[in-house]
Amino acid sequence: MSLAPKAPATSRGGGHGGKGGSKNPRASKGGHGGRRVLRWSATTLSVVILGTAGAGYLYYQHLNGNIHKGERESGDAKAQKTAANAAGQTPLNILLIGSDSRNSDENVKLGGAKYDRGSPPLGDVQMLIHLSADRKSAAMVSIPRDTRVDIPKCTDPKTGKVYPATNTIINESLARGGAGCTLATWENLTGVYIDHWLTIDFSGVVNMADAIGGVDVCVKQNVWDRPTAAVPGGSGLKMTAGTHKVKGEKALQWLRTRHAWGSDPLRAKAQHMYLNSMIRTLKGQNVFTDTGRLMDLAEAATKSLTVSEEIGTPKKLYDLGMQLKSVPTDRITSLTMPNVQDPQNKDHLVPDGANADKMWQMLRDDVSFDKNGKASDGAGEKKKQASAEPVKEPSVSPAGLGVLVRNATRTSTEAPVGGRARTLAQELTAKGYTRAAADTSNTGESVDKTVVRYPSADLQGDAQAVAEALGIPTSQVKQSTDVSGVTLVVGADWREGTAYPKQSAPKAGDLPDNADAINGSDTKQCMDVYGPYRW
């Protein structure tokens, strides 16, 4: 998907456009019938592209040759894969990245700015697609491109160049080690393990939109996203009020439009509307049972997408598409990470503390964002308990265990709480851990949720005992290669007191008010046009 108009600065824009923004120009059906459809779809695909003889084999090899692949992770990521639920199922998380690459004639024509050709692309659209463990619900969560975050140390897998950790807007992560660096940035911010990534550029959006045959979008007023006296740039989108079917370059213009909506978060909302409409369109067309349409989509998808290497075959991409297709539209929720203005730069954003943390916790615990599921689908608390490791016996007494305490209470909007590591080291000493000590060398660390880390399996029971002494849930005890002994990392969720605050389990559909959530079955969504861009 993609991306706002571009500026010569490193971040290629930084404002939100519109209201108060920068003037920078860059910016299935259930039942037996459903099962028959799925069986027929699989048969169709096997005949078309998975046959072992003649044209079938050659066509499969052709599609396979279209696909570009890369390393899943190229940064210093710390998230751990969610444990399976009672049925042995795990959630699936896929990071979708819209690249602003101008590194081809077609992309330069679609995106402009020839002077920037050859520079590393930025990830101006970033969206996490979450499929629940039972595959009955899904979520699509965007982070606006101008959100300031911690980007970890990353190594470019193509050049070997090492980029040091930094704190800047999230769209720069793609230029600091590729999609694998963006994935690591997301994992560290959210604590959510991400299985795969997909990237798409300007020309890919156009090709996919044409293969789909058009998607319905809606505006409440006439819109023209053009340069104005106050703000240069614009996507060129021009249409009258009402519902329109967009495809090709017009679809790209819709997805890139930012100024006409008034902000970057509202651009994410327009993208969510497009994707929800696209999903409804594909479901309505029964494209997976139409051999010709399936071949068109397979051709467009394999040419348009670059993917992490674990899903880099036509069959794996098809299987992924079928999993997405199986989720009913009323169980799909699209939203934007709750955010607030960056106190360091009014043209940037930062995560909205507790509200953003709550949403990430729902993803980590696999709690559905909608309320349309059945009670038998499983509650978040049960899944949370299932993800915790079994409790083991400590290997030594408290007095014989060295425990290091780190202060990681810093957030994007708040400084770390002074003396926090020392306070909790003293609390552990009082509880018999006389070798507990504060780590004074990591004052800039930041984690959302407190965690007890341990380096090897023989210390798991000891780490769990430390957590129990302070009232920390065992689900927050994690093995990690980043520590040399049992280490208490005090997060932003514990900025005061010596007893870990009680955490209430999130409930299905209990989303923050400022997440701007849209249900996938909502066909009445329509974008408001910011005043200067009406005609």
Side-chain angles (χ1 to χ4, degrees):
M1 258 125 300
S2 205
L3 325 315
K6 132 173 210 323
T10 299
S11 62
R12 302 185 194 160
H16 306 205
K19 305 170 187 172
S22 167
K23 296 181 182 179
N24 199 311
R26 182 70 181 200
S28 103
K29 295 181 180 178
H32 298 293
R35 287 193 290 272
R36 283 196 296 272
V37 167
L38 293 178
R39 286 197 298 270
W40 173 244
S41 299
T43 302
T44 300
L45 184 72
S46 65
V47 169
V48 174
I49 63 174
L50 296 182
T52 58
Y57 174 78
L58 293 175
Y59 185 61
Y60 182 85
Q61 291 300 101
H62 163 71
L63 291 178
N64 201 44
N66 286 344
I67 300 173
H68 296 280
K69 293 169 279 197
E71 293 183 11
R72 174 192 159 271
E73 183 264 306
S74 58
D76 185 14
K78 296 181 173 63
Q80 295 184 340
K81 194 171 181 66
T82 303
N85 62 15
Q89 303 164 311
T90 57
L92 180 65
N93 295 299
I94 308 135
L95 184 61
L96 177 62
I97 305 169
S99 160
D100 75 345
S101 171
R102 265 74 168 180
N103 294 333
S104 71
D105 290 339
E106 189 174 3
N107 281 330
V108 168
K109 179 181 177 181
L110 293 168
K114 295 180 181 179
Y115 60 81
D116 193 58
R117 182 165 181 167
S119 63
L122 302 179
D124 275 357
V125 175
Q126 300 183 23
M127 190 179 302
L128 183 66
I129 301 170
H130 172 87
L131 277 170
S132 64
D134 58 14
R135 302 301 189 263
K136 293 181 179 180
S137 68
M140 296 187 291
V141 183
S142 292
I143 295 181
R145 68 170 193 167
D146 292 329
T147 303
R148 181 169 60 84
V149 299
D150 289 329
I151 298 176
K153 175 184 175 183
C154 292
T155 303
D156 190 316
K158 294 181 179 179
T159 66
K161 182 176 179 178
V162 177
Y163 294 87
T166 188
N167 180 262
T168 188
I169 57 176
I170 197 168
N171 77 335
E172 293 190 20
S173 60
L174 188 63
R176 299 177 64 85
C181 185
T182 302
L183 180 145
T185 301
W186 271 74
E187 285 198 348
N188 292 352
L189 176 67
T190 67
V192 176
Y193 181 88
I194 301 174
D195 300 271
H196 314 297
W197 54 257
L198 308 169
T199 69
I200 188 168
D201 59 16
F202 291 158
S203 60
V205 170
V206 172
N207 293 337
M208 287 295 292
D210 285 341
I212 292 166
V215 169
D216 287 338
V217 296
C218 176
V219 288
K220 293 182 180 179
Q221 303 88 14
N222 296 349
V223 60
W224 187 6
D225 192 48
R226 65 200 187 281
T228 68
V231 183
S235 71
L237 178 70
K238 187 176 184 180
M239 62 174 58
T240 56
T243 300
H244 300 266
K245 187 178 291 293
V246 296
K247 59 190 296 188
E249 190 170 353
K250 184 72 76 172
L252 176 62
Q253 290 174 339
W254 176 273
L255 293 166
R256 291 184 63 206
T257 293
R258 175 170 56 108
H259 302 315
W261 310 141
S263 71
D264 202 37
L266 286 172
R267 180 176 69 161
K269 183 175 182 178
Q271 292 165 352
H272 295 157
M273 290 182 187
Y274 179 93
L275 287 174
N276 285 335
S277 181
M278 181 185 74
I279 291 168
R280 293 193 299 268
T281 299
L282 288 172
K283 283 178 174 286
Q285 291 176 342
N286 289 324
V287 66
F288 289 95
T289 65
D290 184 327
T291 301
R293 291 296 314 286
L294 184 61
M295 291 175 69
D296 289 344
L297 273 176
E299 189 74 26
T302 54
K303 284 184 175 179
S304 302
L305 297 169
T306 300
V307 303
S308 55
E309 52 198 2
E310 325 79 39
I311 51 171
T313 69
K315 182 180 185 304
K316 289 178 180 178
L317 287 174
Y318 174 82
D319 291 343
L320 182 60
M322 291 306 299
Q323 291 186 68
L324 290 165
K325 180 180 180 291
S326 69
V327 180
T329 53
D330 70 343
R331 299 299 314 279
I332 300 173
T333 306
S334 305
L335 69 164
T336 300
M337 178 194 72
N339 56 78
V340 295
Q341 188 180 81
D342 184 354
Q344 297 182 14
N345 185 330
K346 67 180 180 61
D347 292 329
H348 293 166
L349 303 168
V350 291
D352 179 15
N355 283 330
D357 292 346
K358 179 180 181 180
M359 187 189 66
W360 301 135
Q361 183 184 351
M362 292 177 74
L363 285 181
R364 290 192 298 266
D365 294 346
D366 200 22
V367 178
S368 64
F369 283 3
D370 69 276
K371 298 180 179 179
N372 299 326
K374 299 177 182 178
S376 59
D377 289 346
E381 182 61 26
K382 291 180 181 178
K383 292 175 182 177
K384 182 177 179 181
Q385 292 172 352
S387 68
E389 296 286 347
V391 177
K392 295 186 176 181
E393 288 294 320
S395 65
V396 297
S397 67
L401 180 70
V403 182
L404 193 65
V405 184
R406 291 180 181 170
N407 183 352
T409 55
R410 180 179 66 83
T411 72
S412 297
T413 56
E414 296 177 295
V417 179
R420 198 77 186 107
R422 183 176 62 255
T423 297
L424 288 171
Q426 291 172 348
E427 178 67 13
L428 282 170
T429 298
K431 293 180 177 294
Y433 290 91
T434 54
R435 295 177 59 194
D439 182 358
T440 59
S441 64
N442 284 279
T443 56
E445 189 173 2
S446 172
V447 298
D448 292 328
K449 179 173 285 192
T450 297
V451 62
V452 180
R453 296 176 181 156
Y454 61 95
S456 54
D458 59 306
L459 288 172
Q460 181 178 346
D462 302 285
Q464 290 173 335
V466 169
E468 183 181 5
L470 297 172
I472 301 169
T474 56
S475 59
Q476 290 166 230
V477 177
K478 306 289 185 182
Q479 186 169 351
S480 172
T481 57
D482 292 336
V483 295
S484 57
V486 175
T487 304
L488 168 62
V489 184
V490 187
D493 60 338
W494 194 10
R495 293 176 64 86
E496 60 183 13
T498 55
Y500 187 67
K502 296 292 184 182
Q503 306 289 309
S504 58
K507 298 179 180 179
D510 187 18
L511 291 167
D513 292 337
N514 60 342
D516 209 4
I518 302 173
N519 187 274
S521 64
D522 186 351
T523 60
K524 297 181 180 180
Q525 289 288 327
C526 204
M527 289 301 295
D528 257 316
V529 179
Y530 181 39
Y533 298 92
R534 298 177 187 178
W535 61 280

